[in-house]
Amino acid sequence: VELDSKKMVHAFVTSVTEDNKSRTVVGGHPHASKQGLYLKHSMLDKVCPVVIVLKAMGMVSDQEICQMVGVNTAYVQAITPCLHECRQANVFTQKQALLYLWELRRRDHRTQHIDADSKALERTDPAEANRMRMEWVYNEILVRQVLSHIECTKENSKLADFAPKLRFLCLMIRRVVQGQMDPTLQ
């Protein structure tokens, strides 16, 4: 946890694996007028409310999110603006969160093929196009990029177990809130 150039508290993690190196940042919004905590990553064009990332990883209950981050008043107050922003964006389920992240993804040479395929498929089968987009976000952003040093084991189904990443992300959120409350921790 450290201060950025704007004197805002952020938690930085640089993940390195055999095939990937990425940096995940949790902190306040770059515009001081916005409240809440956001996740910044190179695969996303804009910062994303941390609650939407948690929902995309399968933690869809607001109560569960608050319990994992912390039930202390300071933690709940820090996460509440993100919960409100999530509601304003109409993101209540994991599928909606995955589609929200699809809209925030960085559009570059790595995503050109999936963009073209999903647009072509959307004309004939919009549901299948959305399924393809959600699967891409799930596998490419959440499993392979965000906190990539933490392995997601796949159970008997095709879904990954995000529990270790969820715990780590919630710990990052806690550390940012602690850093905001106590400047000696930075």
Side-chain angles (χ1 to χ4, degrees):
V1 177
E2 52 190 60
L3 293 175
D4 67 358
S5 60
K6 296 178 182 177
K7 303 292 184 203
M8 294 177 67
V9 179
H10 290 282
F12 299 92
V13 174
T14 301
S15 303
V16 180
T17 62
E18 292 175 7
D19 62 336
N20 183 23
K21 181 178 179 181
S22 69
R23 183 175 174 149
T24 305
V25 181
V26 172
H29 196 279
H31 302 294
S33 61
K34 286 196 113 176
Q35 296 289 317
L37 297 171
Y38 294 82
L39 183 129
K40 181 180 178 185
H41 195 276
S42 62
M43 289 295 288
L44 302 174
D45 268 342
K46 299 177 185 171
V47 293
C48 179
V50 291
V51 170
I52 291 179
V53 177
L54 294 172
K55 285 181 184 261
M57 289 183 181
M59 191 183 292
V60 293
S61 164
D62 294 351
Q63 179 180 357
E64 185 181 11
I65 290 168
C66 288
Q67 287 174 340
M68 280 291 284
V69 171
V71 293
N72 187 340
T73 306
Y75 301 121
V76 175
Q77 286 177 346
I79 207 82
T80 299
C82 292
L83 292 169
H84 288 297
E85 192 166 345
C86 204
R87 288 198 191 325
Q88 289 173 342
N90 288 324
V91 176
F92 303 104
T93 66
Q94 184 177 19
K95 288 180 180 181
Q96 291 168 333
L98 290 168
L99 289 173
Y100 185 91
L101 288 175
W102 168 262
E103 294 301 321
L104 292 183
R105 80 199 180 289
R106 183 172 302 278
R107 290 155 178 86
D108 60 10
H109 66 282
R110 295 176 287 189
T111 61
Q112 283 177 344
H113 71 285
I114 194 73
D115 282 337
D117 292 347
S118 69
K119 282 181 183 173
L121 189 59
E122 190 164 19
R123 289 185 213 110
T124 58
D125 190 356
E128 183 62 21
N130 279 341
R131 189 202 58 75
M132 179 190 292
R133 292 172 182 144
M134 289 185 293
E135 188 176 299
W136 185 87
V137 168
Y138 189 87
N139 289 318
E140 290 300 315
I141 295 179
L142 298 178
V143 172
R144 289 191 67 238
Q145 296 289 329
V146 173
L147 300 172
S148 61
H149 68 287
I150 300 173
E151 191 173 337
C152 291
T153 58
K154 294 198 176 185
E155 300 296 322
N156 50 9
S157 68
K158 290 185 174 183
L159 298 178
D161 178 20
F162 281 112
K165 283 191 182 193
L166 287 167
R167 282 193 296 272
F168 197 91
L169 188 55
C170 288
L171 179 64
M172 288 175 71
I173 295 167
R174 283 181 66 92
R175 296 289 294 150
V176 168
V177 174
Q178 289 170 347
Q180 290 171 341
M181 292 185 320
D182 185 3
T184 61
L185 295 176
Q186 301 162 10

